[in-house]
Amino acid sequence: MATKVTSPSVIYQRFMKFLEEFAHKQEKILASQTGAFSRSHYRSSKINLFHFLNTSIIGNGSTLSDLSMNYFGMGSVRPSASALVQTKAKTPVSVFSALHKATLALCYMDKKYKGLRVIAFDGTNEPVAPNEDEPDYIIYAKNKETIIRAGIHINAAYDVLNDKYLAIVTQDQRSKDERAAAMKMVKEIHEAYPGETFLFVMDRGYFSYPLCKLIESLGHKYLIRMKEREYSCLTYTQLDHTEDQQISRILTHHQRKEEKENPQMKYLVKKSMRQIDQESEFIDFDCRVVAIEIGDNVWEGLITNLDEAEFPPEALGFIYHLRWRIEQSFSWLKYGIGMKRIHSIKAEYIIQEIYSSLIFYNLVSEIKKCVLESSQSDNKEEKQTTYEYQINTTKAIRAIRNTFTPKWTKKRTICQITKAEFQALTEELLREKLPVRPERSFKRNLHPNRLIWFTYR
């Protein structure tokens, strides 16, 4: 994990230095494998991998021509929209995925809840333009001809206390499986952060016995909201009263008479059994199931392996409420950063844009945290206020993007951002603070997931 930084200028300089080194290494790899980003490529293009990655991450604009103009300036010096598309084609998604993982090492993530890193899992749909060359991303009507919508399903792992996206798994509409994606992200996070203990928090639809057993086997904790039917099948009670109980079951794929008559036995399809253990016919499953009231006769069923003494039902309710932050971050990601403003039709190119948005979101989060903590340490003697304050994320995205968009010299080199500009950025972020009201809640207004596309050039 990176060391703590107290200046946006240091974060920016460290990020840009890392990005330049990363791009240089990837150029060599791609040149040796595919011939991309070789000298012959540079003679036919005005953009190298560093500028392409930086444009993708920091760039702002509706069409590709706007992106190029905002980043490179106007005139014959800027690459055309076609050049950007050609560079997209030469850059595999794996480069963006590797960059996202690598930049996480630059982030200082120290916030925990009772010694646990709290990670929320959730999925969201990225609407895309229907591309009949990639039918797996399209949902058709029953007649198999009328297109209802098209999209890429994004499964995300989000550190709710440190405000960082740690991992994503993208899926098409036909193979969408949030539970399988969750298992993949659990393994990825476990390998990326050895020695740390995580608490994985998930909404309804994620609960599965293989997922719970996997998290427990790796030494981590889970807290998952259950559907009412799942709750009743596991506890043999209705979800209509407060309770906190330890459950012990024996999982099996057999449906013989002796298994059916034994209330301790829980039937599980053979495929799920094999996900847990390839050989065993009987698997012990121990958990804690809690029912809490969240409104007038509105109940919530939670399954967990957290200790009852250290984490009473009130604490579980608080932890689960933290999960809502991933929903807020999706809104900032899609509308503040502009992940919904797609510039491509091919799914691979759109996934590049998704990773670029995640990288920029993490960068913005790191700068917000740095500025706010530095401000609080400088003003320790100020009088106590009713609320804690946070930086307005939407305004921060605009200010940081405006500051980090390159300004070019006559010799076509990027001007260094001055100390005065960084000071102005800090002042701008601190002007746009909002009170934190943790007890506020609003009714969720659902509406169709509309597509915002700029696939024309």
Side-chain angles (χ1 to χ4, degrees):
M1 186 173 66
T3 55
K4 191 171 184 178
V5 177
T6 57
S7 168
S9 62
V10 176
I11 294 174
Y12 171 76
Q13 290 161 7
R14 189 170 62 179
F15 175 78
M16 294 301 288
K17 181 181 178 182
F18 176 83
L19 183 61
E20 195 165 3
E21 293 172 354
F22 176 87
H24 185 63
K25 290 177 183 176
Q26 291 294 324
E27 279 180 348
K28 288 184 177 180
I29 294 170
L30 293 173
S32 64
Q33 292 176 348
T34 63
F37 301 103
S38 59
R39 289 186 178 182
S40 59
H41 169 79
Y42 284 128
R43 282 196 293 269
S44 61
S45 174
K46 298 171 183 175
I47 181 169
N48 60 23
L49 185 58
F50 167 73
H51 289 310
F52 171 64
L53 293 175
N54 205 18
T55 306
S56 303
I57 295 167
I58 297 174
N60 180 31
S62 52
T63 65
L64 286 175
S65 296
D66 283 343
L67 278 172
S68 178
M69 194 184 304
N70 290 337
Y71 184 89
F72 292 96
M74 294 188 291
S76 60
V77 293
R78 75 168 180 87
S80 64
S82 296
L84 286 174
V85 173
Q86 291 166 15
T87 310
K88 276 177 176 280
K90 291 178 170 67
T91 311
V93 170
S94 58
V95 171
F96 285 85
S97 174
L99 179 60
H100 171 247
K101 292 176 184 176
T103 51
L104 283 169
L106 303 177
C107 299
Y108 184 70
M109 296 178 281
D110 62 327
K111 293 184 179 179
K112 298 180 181 181
Y113 182 78
K114 295 187 177 182
L116 301 171
R117 292 268 300 274
V118 183
I119 311 299
F121 285 178
D122 204 359
T124 186
N125 189 60
E126 170 78 341
V128 302
N131 179 10
E132 296 193 9
D133 292 334
E134 296 176 322
D136 289 348
Y137 293 93
I138 301 174
I139 296 178
Y140 291 92
K142 290 183 179 180
N143 60 15
K144 305 296 183 183
E145 294 180 359
T146 306
I147 295 175
I148 299 176
R149 66 179 184 275
I152 296 173
H153 191 72
I154 304 170
N155 303 276
Y158 173 75
D159 188 328
V160 297
L161 297 178
N162 294 291
D163 191 23
K164 301 289 187 300
Y165 280 95
L166 301 188
I168 64 164
V169 173
T170 57
Q171 297 172 323
D172 58 52
Q173 297 298 321
R174 290 189 183 179
S175 64
K176 183 172 73 174
D177 186 343
E178 290 189 328
R179 293 170 180 172
M183 294 180 74
K184 183 176 180 180
M185 290 190 291
V186 166
K187 294 175 184 176
E188 186 177 316
I189 292 171
H190 174 75
E191 293 171 1
Y193 301 92
E196 292 209 50
T197 306
F198 293 90
L199 168 56
F200 297 102
V201 185
M202 290 164 254
D203 200 4
R204 290 173 296 189
Y206 276 96
F207 169 68
S208 73
Y209 294 99
L211 176 58
C212 292
K213 291 293 287 185
L214 172 66
I215 294 172
E216 194 168 24
S217 68
L218 295 176
H220 303 299
K221 306 296 182 181
Y222 60 83
L223 178 65
I224 307 174
R225 186 178 179 183
M226 306 176 77
K227 296 178 181 177
E228 189 170 346
R229 175 179 54 81
E230 294 169 337
Y231 179 90
S232 300
C233 289
L234 186 60
T235 63
Y236 306 132
T237 60
Q238 294 299 314
L239 185 57
D240 57 6
H241 60 283
T242 304
E243 66 178 347
D244 186 348
Q245 57 179 315
Q246 296 291 333
I247 300 290
S248 293
R249 296 286 182 265
I250 301 172
L251 307 177
T252 181
H253 60 81
H254 292 300
Q255 297 192 74
R256 297 171 298 204
K257 183 178 179 180
E258 54 267 32
E259 278 84 26
K260 290 184 177 181
E261 292 178 347
N262 187 347
Q264 290 295 105
M265 292 290 181
K266 181 75 179 89
Y267 171 71
L268 201 62
V269 297
K270 188 176 285 188
K271 180 181 177 182
S272 296
M273 288 287 291
R274 294 294 170 260
Q275 284 182 296
I276 302 172
D277 192 305
Q278 289 290 334
E279 304 295 335
S280 298
E281 297 183 4
F282 300 95
I283 299 172
D284 292 330
F285 182 78
D286 299 315
C287 65
R288 177 185 169 202
V289 178
V290 180
I292 56 177
E293 188 174 11
I294 59 174
D296 292 336
N297 292 320
V298 180
W299 304 87
E300 195 172 77
L302 302 172
I303 183 170
T304 184
N305 62 341
L306 290 168
D307 180 68
E308 183 178 356
E310 190 175 1
F311 296 90
E314 297 78 19
L316 298 186
F318 171 77
I319 295 169
Y320 184 76
H321 185 69
L322 290 176
R323 193 204 65 82
W324 185 251
R325 295 185 185 181
I326 191 174
E327 305 284 1
Q328 292 177 314
S329 70
F330 280 153
S331 177
W332 292 322
L333 197 61
K334 288 182 174 183
Y335 300 100
I337 286 180
M339 191 176 74
K340 286 196 73 170
R341 297 193 291 268
I342 62 170
H343 302 88
S344 307
I345 291 190
K346 280 191 175 182
E348 184 178 4
Y349 300 170
I350 297 170
I351 295 171
Q352 290 180 2
E353 296 181 19
I354 291 170
Y355 273 110
S356 298
S357 298
L358 292 176
I359 294 167
F360 188 56
Y361 182 93
N362 289 346
L363 179 62
V364 169
S365 169
E366 191 71 359
I367 292 173
K368 279 170 46 189
K369 178 182 176 182
C370 158
V371 169
L372 190 60
E373 290 183 353
S374 179
S375 169
Q376 289 171 344
S377 63
D378 291 342
N379 300 314
K380 284 183 179 178
E381 297 182 0
E382 284 191 358
K383 65 178 182 179
Q384 294 294 320
T385 56
T386 305
Y387 298 106
E388 290 185 18
Y389 280 82
Q390 61 185 346
I391 290 174
N392 185 320
T393 301
T394 304
K395 300 290 178 66
I397 290 167
R398 294 173 187 167
I400 292 168
R401 179 173 270 154
N402 183 60
T403 305
F404 289 1
T405 298
K407 300 169 184 65
W408 297 82
T409 65
K410 291 182 179 180
K411 295 182 179 179
R412 299 305 296 164
T413 58
I414 296 177
C415 298
Q416 294 293 321
I417 300 176
T418 64
K419 186 176 180 180
E421 288 174 313
F422 278 118
Q423 181 62 30
L425 172 62
T426 301
E427 292 172 0
E428 185 66 28
L429 296 185
L430 292 175
R431 283 184 63 187
E432 299 291 346
K433 290 195 294 185
L434 299 172
V436 179
R437 298 185 177 97
E439 301 302 323
R440 292 182 86 187
S441 63
F442 299 94
K443 185 178 179 181
R444 192 173 184 183
N445 296 317
L446 300 178
H447 57 77
N449 207 347
R450 301 179 183 89
L451 169 63
I452 305 172
W453 55 359
F454 296 102
T455 51
Y456 55 88
R457 299 182 184 182

